[in-house]
Amino acid sequence: MQDQTSPGALLGELRAQPPLVHCITNFVAMNIAANVLLAAGASPAMVHAEEEAGEFAALAGALTINIGTLSSAWLRGMQAAASAAGQAGKPFVLDPVAHHATGFRRAAVDRLLELGPTVIRGNASEIIALAGGASRGQGVDSRDDVEHAEDAARLLARAHGATIAVTGAVDFVTDGDRAARIEGGSALMPQVTALGCSLTCLIGAFAAIRPGAPFAAAVAALATFAVAGELAASNANGPGSFSWRFLDALAALDAATLDRHARVREA
């Protein structure tokens, strides 16, 4: 019998009842993030206007916020959406892209953190800096290894009552008590723009079907991405062919294949 908390079980649930995921993401990521959610079986909605973001967030199964191409108007929409999601009891996933780069970004993330994200996903440099440490990050690029961010992730999880997902060569997820590492993926993944942003949206999709289990949802999303990445890389010649092969691999992935190939271990 399949473990009902396994990545495959959650993927099966997602496809049986496709969740509506409200994605406030950046201009670079909108197209690929929407395609990733569709390939996984979810329903994406790219709604960011402050006039409707709050109303829409209350209707969706989950909200994801990515500050990649931030503006004052978008920030107002993000705040309205996060506030509404919290009031409606909907999961909220935050992707604090390059939050340490400028004062505007630091202030924006501080406001969003006050609204209680359910899951925070970032690269190692972003997570280290978010916890108050000194990272080597430059812009959106991580210059730190995931293993160096594990203590920072645990600290953040306990401070904010959130699940923290640190992504890199080997992903790390913790809720402050439990922790897991997820292996897989491909070295070609960082060469395709906005795949990480798309992963944030996919975490939102899994959180929508398991709103009371954000740790399991984050692990399932990361394992799904890792397995699809490995399968796509087996026939890819470079980042261009990998990109479309990744979407195909994700769409073709079934629960049994995911659980057979997923490499998740306690940390």
Side-chain angles (χ1 to χ4, degrees), residues 35 116 142 164 205 262:
N35 284 334
S142 179
I164 311 299

Side-chain angles (χ1 to χ4, degrees), residues 14 16 60 77 100 138 149 174 205 216 265:
L14 187 153
H100 49 292
Q138 180 176 335
T174 183
R265 53 191 171 90

